[in-house]
């Protein structure tokens, strides 16, 4: 079976709907056809200087949400990045193959460092995509399901893989392919529908946190920014707010955007928002309950992560040793 790898950062108590629809839903489907590995990338999360106790709690909560969303730990590997030190080791090796300018062109680094200012940014944020490339290449990954925001990082992973193959011979590493599902590749902020929804958004009103109180989820959807005019139509440029709501609706409900537009012909924005609030709350309720069950059983969760780390290491260690040998590091005696 081809291998799929993807991961999320434990940067919030709850995933947001973009993480869920843009990534997690596809992770679950890919388990049927692929050998799947899904990580909670806590080393990545260190780049935003989290409180230690909060980071630990969020790491467990993030894993709990993978499982609640339908990732099956008996089929797929669910693990925590820092439990497999080969990630950090390969990141160092790859950093020596990454151009300084090449890393500097990453838009996520530019955006995130602009938010905190030059004095608040750190080298880890700069080398973040190199660690991400290590995450992927370590498992000879064929496919990486991500949202549109990660496309550029994935391109760097591919460039690095091709560079290693050119230098040390074809087949040294597998060149990964992105799996970006167009319809849900980017879920936008409800208050600023030209920006992507994000766990760390400035305005919490713009985000749907999937573990949030259903009343708050519904309220955020009902107060979503819509556009001037009163026709419910899909037009990303002229009607970004309504288009985003239609995208979310379609992703959850299964009907196409065109079908929804036909159904809401002649109705008001308020109708759409109110129905969507109900649909989202209903969709999230079983997820919420399942996640809470996992969160309230940390021992059970930890044993999933322990088993995942052992299975991940069994793949990662030989890959790293193969690459150490290729680049000329002396094997330990
Ligand atoms: N708005 C989105 N629409 C579709 N997909 C999205 N993803 C994130 N936002 C959207 C996808 O979710 C996965 C998890 O990403 P991550 O945890 O590594 O961090 P991120 O991409 O930086 O996501 P956030 O929510 O914006 O987190 P913060 O605020 O911590 O930076 C990825 O596959 C991503 O594409």
């Amino acid at each position: 079976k081809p291998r799929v790898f993807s991961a999320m950062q434990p940067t919030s108590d709850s995933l947001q709907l973009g993480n869920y629809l843009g990534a997690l839903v596809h992770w679950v489907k890919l388990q049927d056809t692929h050998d799947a590995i899904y990580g909670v990338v806590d080393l990545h999360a260190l780049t935003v200087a989290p409180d230690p106790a909060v980071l630990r709690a969020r790491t467990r909560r993030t894993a709990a949400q993978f499982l609640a969303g339908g990732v099956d730990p008996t089929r797929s590997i669910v693990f925590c990045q820092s439990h497999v030190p080969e990630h950090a080791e390969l990141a160092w090796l790859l950093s020596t193959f990454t151009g300084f300018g090449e890393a500097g062109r990453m838009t996520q680094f530019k955006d995130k460092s602009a938010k905190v200012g030059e004095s608040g940014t750190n080298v880890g944020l700069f080398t973040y995509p190199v660690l991400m490339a290590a995450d992927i290449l370590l498992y000879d990954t064929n496919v990486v399901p991500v949202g549109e925001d990660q496309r550029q990082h994935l391109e760097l992973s591919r460039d690095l893989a091709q560079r290693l193959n050119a230098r040390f011979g074809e087949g040294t590493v597998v060149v990964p392919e992105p799996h970006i599902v167009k319809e849900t590749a980017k879920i936008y902020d409800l208050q600023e529908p030209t920006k992507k929804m994000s766990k760390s958004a400035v305005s919490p009103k713009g985000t749907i946190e999937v573990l949030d109180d259903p009343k708050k989820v519904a309220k955020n959807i009902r107060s979503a920014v819509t556009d001037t005019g009163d026709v419910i139509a899909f037009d990303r440029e002229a009607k970004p707010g309504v288009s985003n709501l239609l995208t979310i609706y379609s992703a959850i409900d299964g009907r196409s955007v065109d079908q929804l537009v036909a159904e809401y012909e002649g109705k008001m924005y308020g109708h759409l928002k109110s129905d969507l609030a109900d649909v989202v709350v209903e969709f999230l309720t079983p997820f919420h309950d399942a996640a809470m069950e996992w969160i309230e059983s940390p021992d059970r969760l930890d044993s999933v992560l322990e088993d995942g780390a052992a299975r991940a290491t069994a793949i990662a260690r030989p890959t790293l040793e193969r690459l150490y040998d290729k680049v000329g590091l002396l094997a330990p005696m």
Side-chain angles (χ1 to χ4, degrees):
K1 276 191 194 175
R3 179 162 293 141
V4 57
F5 174 93
S6 197
M8 293 196 203
Q9 299 184 75
T11 40
S12 170
D13 286 348
S14 170
L15 301 183
Q16 41 89 4
L17 198 63
N19 304 135
Y20 197 122
L21 300 179
L24 189 53
V25 165
H26 309 301
W27 293 13
V28 172
K29 285 195 193 132
L30 285 163
Q31 295 181 113
D32 297 336
T33 46
H34 289 67
D35 179 13
I37 307 178
Y38 299 126
V40 180
V41 284
D42 53 348
L43 296 175
H44 282 278
L46 289 177
T47 55
V48 292
D51 173 87
V54 171
L55 175 61
R56 241 185 301 277
R58 287 178 171 175
T59 298
R60 284 205 179 98
R61 287 179 78 92
T62 303
Q65 291 172 86
F66 293 177
L67 300 167
V71 172
D72 173 3
T74 62
R75 285 194 288 159
S76 303
I77 295 177
V78 177
F79 78 109
C80 173
Q81 187 187 31
S82 64
H83 296 173
V84 183
E86 285 78 3
H87 287 254
E89 292 183 65
L90 182 57
W92 173 257
L93 188 155
L94 293 179
S95 74
T96 66
F97 289 86
T98 311
F100 196 80
E102 191 176 31
R105 280 193 292 277
M106 296 293 126
T107 53
Q108 189 183 79
F109 170 72
K110 288 190 208 161
D111 293 348
K112 291 203 171 179
S113 58
K115 261 192 212 163
V116 288
E118 200 178 322
S119 59
T121 194
N122 59 63
V123 174
L125 203 56
F126 186 69
T127 56
Y128 181 111
V130 180
L131 179 57
M132 178 169 157
D135 300 339
I136 295 166
L137 302 189
L138 205 45
Y139 297 100
D140 288 328
T141 301
N142 304 100
V143 177
V144 186
V146 285
E148 185 62 45
D149 61 318
Q150 294 296 334
R151 186 187 285 279
Q152 195 189 26
H153 287 168
L154 207 62
E155 213 37 64
L156 179 71
S157 301
R158 288 172 54 79
D159 289 345
L160 285 168
Q162 279 156 350
R163 207 165 291 161
L164 291 178
N165 286 345
R167 174 97 188 261
F168 301 108
E170 280 312 310
T172 298
V173 281
V174 173
V175 181
E177 297 289 337
H179 175 89
I180 300 178
V181 177
K182 198 169 134 261
E183 287 77 10
T184 51
K186 204 164 180 184
I187 302 296
Y188 294 84
D189 187 281
L190 299 176
Q191 290 298 318
E192 285 185 80
T194 50
K195 289 201 177 132
K196 76 156 193 156
M197 191 177 280
S198 183
K199 291 188 222 96
S200 49
V202 200
S203 154
K205 279 180 68 191
T207 307
I208 299 173
E209 295 207 340
V210 293
L211 287 185
D212 221 341
D213 172 20
K215 284 200 196 92
K216 196 171 150 216
V217 169
K219 195 168 164 225
N220 280 3
I221 295 173
R222 289 205 187 90
S223 52
V225 163
T226 35
D227 318 281
T228 51
D230 53 9
V231 177
I232 295 174
F234 189 89
D235 182 338
R236 190 66 79 200
E237 295 294 312
K239 290 174 173 284
V242 174
S243 301
N244 190 36
L245 298 178
L246 287 167
T247 302
I248 294 171
Y249 205 146
S250 165
I252 293 178
D253 167 284
R255 274 176 294 173
S256 69
V257 165
D258 287 345
Q259 281 173 300
L260 290 168
V261 167
E263 181 164 326
Y264 280 91
E265 197 185 334
K267 294 194 179 153
M268 317 238 279
Y269 290 158
H271 282 125
L272 175 70
K273 289 201 261 186
S274 170
D275 290 353
L276 179 61
D278 292 345
V279 165
V280 172
V281 166
E282 196 183 324
F283 171 70
L284 290 181
T285 302
F287 169 79
H288 181 277
D289 295 349
M292 283 306 150
E293 253 183 57
W294 280 106
I295 290 167
E296 283 156 17
S297 344
D299 292 346
R300 203 156 64 100
L301 194 62
D302 287 353
S303 73
V304 167
L305 294 177
E306 191 185 344
D307 173 62
R311 287 156 68 202
T313 302
I315 304 168
R317 194 69 222 167
T319 313
L320 186 74
E321 283 173 3
R322 188 178 85 220
L323 292 172
Y324 274 0
D325 181 55
K326 289 272 189 192
V327 300
L329 298 182
L330 184 63
M333 308 306 150

